[in-house]
């Protein structure tokens, strides 16, 4: 393998503000009763900023600001005018995309190639797409005059900080709701920059409120009685706790939770293409992807060939500095997540699966985990059942399509699946039988704002994206 010279993206496009405060009612304010915490760069452990932590009084203030904006400005505003603000936000995101991408990579650890070429274009696309719906809600299939729900409390995880924000805020605003959003504790910085963009777009005060903080802030927000709708993306465990806490209230709820997707490769698949899809499926974003193809199901008669190509391809992956434009796999988002990946991987070895990683030099500082595969995995192994949420692939084999379906569905989750075959009729046959919200055929991890995304079973309920994504934000 040949060596590349380092090609780091410049950080000078970003000015990181220390202690910028909470974004409530259109202004950055100091927390009334919260404290503060630090957000670090997981690739270097450098402290990037001290961030305000919202307490109960701040939640109260933010919900009140959102209610006022809903009653006085945003609720009564004609859809065509709401659309103008959303288009303006979308354009500002495009204009400032380099700044946003660099900040996302710094705070999250994901490769700049991904934040620049995947996250940011999709973030802008979501705002453009939902801007288009704002004056056409009566044509979305929810009756002639569907009404917004009111104030939405939105809590998001750290794996796609800005993209998850866009998935939440764009449809909510298009449908006429106002929002209070809590980003994840380890990745609050792009949400704060987004708040500046809301100011720049002259979005009316209180339509978007951003409360930085940890799990307690999230809990106080979703439990606040002034909230009409809760939208949560995160772990199944926290999703369950939220569903319990708001049961019996009038609040509407959508949950986007974990996954354990099967990526299924048949013997007639174009193997080189499938190997690219396997790599993209599990090593994209360090495997911190709810719909990651974390279980490879490969047909037994091609398993050796697929694994040989896969290992050769994995040896080419460049792990390291997220800001380097040649980096394929960046840093693990936090020490806690690294610990969880290590623990589950050790369990894989202890339970008898065979572990393999390509030789790779990991940086001394920061949180890193080499791309890893486990072969000889059985369905009873923890690495085949539990979500690892890291760059770790479990490989299982199958003989017949029926066996592939049975193994793929043998999971408490049901978010996504991939099928690799030359045969169109088999794709349809499989897709009918797979219990997964999204099924990709001869591709993986493809996203588009027009396409609904969401789960079955313990992967949650409700859909984000597309016309369906409006439903959770409308009284229908
Ligand atoms: P998490 O612990 O559930 O956290 C998600 C968010 O909820 C964070 O903002 C978190 O704050 C907050 N939170 C924690 N406890 C809370 C509580 N009791 N009440 C309200 N909010 C609370 O999940 P994570 O570990 O950060 O994210 C990984 C998980 O998200 C994975 O399981 C993954 O599959 C899932 N995910 C699903 C999708 C999807 O669309 N289906 C997309 C991305 C991720 P802190 O950050 O401060 O803990
Ligand atoms: Mg961080």
């Amino acid at each position: 393998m040949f060596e590349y010279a380092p090609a780091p993206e410049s950080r000078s496009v970003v000015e990181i503000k220390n202690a910028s405060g909470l974004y409530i009612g259109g202004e950055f304010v100091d927390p009334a009763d919260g404290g503060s915490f630090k957000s670090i760069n997981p690739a270097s452990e450098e402290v990037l900023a001290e961030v305000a932590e919202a307490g109960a009084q701040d939640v109260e203030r933010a919900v009140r600001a959102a209610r006022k904006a809903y009653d006085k400005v945003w609720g009564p505003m004609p859809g065509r005018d709401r659309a103008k603000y959303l288009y303006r936000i979308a354009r500002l995101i495009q204009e400032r995309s380099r700044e946003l991408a660099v900040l996302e990579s710094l705070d999250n650890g994901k490769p700049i190639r991904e934040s620049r070429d995947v996250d940011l274009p999709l973030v802008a696309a979501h705002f453009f797409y939902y801007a288009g719906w704002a004056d056409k809600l009566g044509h979305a299939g929810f009756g002639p005059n569907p009404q917004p729900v009111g104030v939405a409390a939105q809590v998001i995880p750290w794996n796609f900080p800005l993209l998850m924000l866009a998935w939440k805020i764009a449809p909510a605003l298009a449908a006429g709701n106002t929002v209070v959003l809590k980003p994840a504790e380890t990745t609050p910085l792009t949400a704060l920059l987004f708040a500046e963009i809301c100011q720049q777009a002259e979005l009316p005060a209180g339509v978007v409120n951003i409360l930085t903080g940890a799990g307690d802030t999230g809990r106080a927000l979703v439990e606040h009685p002034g909230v009409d709708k809760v939208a949560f993306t995160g772990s199944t465990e926290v999703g369950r706790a939220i569903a319990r806490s708001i049961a019996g209230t009038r609040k509407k709820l959508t949950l986007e939770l974990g996954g354990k997707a099967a990526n299924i490769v048949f013997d007639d698949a174009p193997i080189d293409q499938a190997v690219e899809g396997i790599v993209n499926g599990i090593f994209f974003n360090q495997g911190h992807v709810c719909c990651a193809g974390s279980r490879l199901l490969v047909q037994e008669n091609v398993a050796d060939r697929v694994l040989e190509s896969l290992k050769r391809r994995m040896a080419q992956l460049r792990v390291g500095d997220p800001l380097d434009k040649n980096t394929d796999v960046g840093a693990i988002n936090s020490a806690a997540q690294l610990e969880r990946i290590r623990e589950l991987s050790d369990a894989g070895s202890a339970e008898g699966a065979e572990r393999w990683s390509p030789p790779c030099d990991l940086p001394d500082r920061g949180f890193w985990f080499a791309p890893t595969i486990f072969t000889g995995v059985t369905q009873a192994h923890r690495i085949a059942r539990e979500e690892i949420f890291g760059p770790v692939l479990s490989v299982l084999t199958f003989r017949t399509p029926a066996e592939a379906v049975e193994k793929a569905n043998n999971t408490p989750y049901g978010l996504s699946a991939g099928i690799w075959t030359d045969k169109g009729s088999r794709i349809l046959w499989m897709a009918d039988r797979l219990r997964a919200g999204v099924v990709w055929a001869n591709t993986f991890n493809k996203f588009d704002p027009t396409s609904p995304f969401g789960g079955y079973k313990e992967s949650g309920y409700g859909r984000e994206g597309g016309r369906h994504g409006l439903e959770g934000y409308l009284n229908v």
Side-chain angles (χ1 to χ4, degrees), residues 167-225:
W167 282 26
K168 295 276 178 286
I169 293 184
L173 262 48
N177 305 270
T178 58
V179 307
V180 182
L181 176 133
K182 190 199 89 68
E185 184 182 2
T186 57
T187 55
L189 299 184
T190 46
L192 293 170
L193 187 48
F194 177 80
E196 281 180 38
I197 288 176
C198 292
Q199 287 182 324
Q200 202 183 345
E202 294 175 14
L203 186 71
V207 174
V208 167
N209 304 275
I210 308 280
L211 293 182
T212 45
D216 285 343
T217 305
R219 191 181 316 116
L221 176 59
V222 301
E223 290 181 359
H224 193 285

Side-chain angles (χ1 to χ4, degrees), residues 392-472:
V392 181
L393 179 68
S394 300
V395 184
L396 296 93
T397 57
F398 68 91
R399 289 183 193 170
T400 63
E403 190 188 345
V405 168
E406 199 177 302
K407 285 189 166 164
N409 287 342
N410 185 11
T411 166
Y413 295 110
L415 195 53
S416 61
I419 307 166
W420 298 83
T421 175
D422 200 28
K423 212 170 170 199
S425 59
R426 180 178 287 154
I427 293 171
L428 299 176
W429 189 89
M430 293 287 294
D432 267 352
R433 287 161 179 77
L434 290 170
R435 291 291 288 162
V438 181
V439 179
W440 286 293
N442 294 323
T443 186
F444 207 90
N445 274 342
K446 277 268 184 296
F447 303 98
D448 189 279
T450 63
S451 174
F453 182 91
Y456 283 106
K457 304 194 282 187
E458 290 186 17
S459 293
Y461 42 80
R463 293 291 178 266
E464 295 189 301
R467 180 183 72 75
H468 306 74
L470 291 165
E471 188 172 352

Side-chain angles (χ1 to χ4, degrees), residues 1 29 34 58 83 213 238:
M1 201 176 125
V29 298
D58 302 308
V238 174

Side-chain angles (χ1 to χ4, degrees), residues 224-244:
H224 193 285
V227 159
D228 302 299
K229 145 90 188 174
V230 173
F232 172 78
T233 295
S235 60
T236 296
E237 188 191 348
V238 174
R240 247 191 227 120
I242 291 175
R244 264 197 300 271

Side-chain angles (χ1 to χ4, degrees), residues 51 91 95 110 122 132 162 168 206 213 230 258 269 384 413 464:
V51 180
R91 287 194 300 268
E95 271 173 38
K110 64 174 67 201
L122 280 171
L162 204 51
K168 295 276 178 286
V230 173
Y413 295 110
E464 295 189 301

